Amino acid sequence: MRKSHTQKIDAVIREFLNEVNLDRKLKEVHLVSEWETLMGKMVSTRTRHIYIRNRTLFVHVTSSVLKNELIMIRHDIIERLNEVAGEKLIEQLVVR
């Protein structure tokens, strides 16, 4: 016999992730893992230790020139990352 309240597995998993507040964390991990794709090889090779904490993206760089460039375009970076995530995950960017 078939139950009348069947759901697709992807919908059930999404609902579960939202209930236990893991959906946002998974999106944050995805953004960090896609850093090279989003920013390019040149930026990626000069960045170290990228992480997100409290809606702030922290990026450690090895070049002072790159640091200045990233600071100048920080709003564009935030918009691009939020667009990829599909929601406003990042509010600030800190470049160290």
Side-chain angles (χ1 to χ4, degrees):
M1 231 166 92
R2 211 170 173 180
K3 297 190 179 208
S4 62
H5 297 292
T6 59
Q7 294 179 331
K8 291 186 176 185
I9 190 72
D10 65 335
V12 173
I13 291 173
R14 253 189 243 115
E15 183 178 327
F16 172 74
L17 291 175
N18 284 332
E19 286 181 17
V20 295
N21 296 325
L22 285 177
D23 188 39
R24 176 180 289 155
K25 187 63 178 172
L26 287 174
K27 287 182 180 180
E28 289 175 358
V29 170
H30 175 71
L31 285 180
V32 170
S33 68
E34 290 293 316
W35 178 255
E36 181 178 343
T37 306
L38 295 170
M39 298 305 298
K41 187 88 170 158
M42 292 295 291
V43 173
S44 176
T45 57
R46 290 175 175 80
T47 55
R48 304 280 185 261
H49 199 64
I50 304 162
Y51 60 96
I52 300 171
R53 183 173 295 143
N54 298 327
R55 294 187 180 261
T56 302
L57 175 67
F58 293 89
V59 179
H60 294 258
V61 296
T62 59
S63 167
S64 60
V65 175
L66 179 62
K67 179 180 178 180
N68 289 334
E69 288 290 326
L70 293 178
I71 289 172
M72 288 180 8
I73 62 168
R74 75 172 50 179
H75 297 292
D76 295 333
I77 294 170
I78 292 170
E79 286 179 16
R80 187 182 310 166
L81 292 172
N82 287 332
E83 184 179 314
V84 168
E87 66 179 273
K88 189 171 182 178
L89 285 182
I90 308 297
E91 292 178 356
Q92 294 181 341
L93 172 64
V94 175
V95 183
R96 296 182 176 169

